[in-house]
Amino acid sequence: MGRLASKGADRAEELTSFIVTVRDRDAIGSVALKLEALGIDVERVMKRTGVLGGRGPVRLLSKITALPGVKHAREERRYQLPPLHDSIPQ
């Protein structure tokens, strides 16, 4: 297996965080169960907004998106602000 194929395989098994929006907020519990059955560790269930947060292998993103009841799914992105500096007013 070439280096590029190997890197792609490594990326597929890499764990990432997901944000999932459901079509019907009342069905959020059943979507959470489906995600867990796929192997996603559901960490947050926000019924009021219809959003779930969880963690699992990157390769599952297409399967998450195809689940009945899922409106949208994406990898969660993280941001970090630079450290505070005395020369910059707060």
Side-chain angles (χ1 to χ4, degrees):
M1 185 182 292
R3 277 185 8 188
L4 290 177
S6 173
K7 284 185 181 182
D10 290 344
R11 172 76 174 133
E13 291 306 315
E14 181 180 310
L15 292 180
T16 190
S17 294
F18 296 105
I19 295 292
V20 179
T21 306
V22 298
R23 292 190 187 283
D24 177 10
R25 289 182 297 184
D26 293 330
I28 199 166
S30 66
V31 173
L33 290 173
K34 291 173 189 173
L35 289 171
E36 288 174 340
L38 274 179
I40 301 297
D41 180 21
V42 177
E43 299 169 335
R44 298 177 308 275
V45 178
M46 296 166 273
K47 187 172 182 175
R48 179 172 278 177
T49 58
V51 176
L52 296 155
R55 190 161 174 77
V58 171
R59 65 180 164 75
L60 295 179
L61 183 57
S62 61
K63 289 184 179 184
I64 294 169
T65 305
L67 280 176
V70 171
K71 181 176 181 179
H72 181 75
R74 66 173 174 82
E75 279 188 74
E76 182 177 14
R77 293 185 176 88
R78 298 185 183 267
Y79 300 95
Q80 184 170 345
L81 296 174
L84 298 176
H85 193 275
D86 291 339
S87 67
I88 300 173
Q90 305 303 315

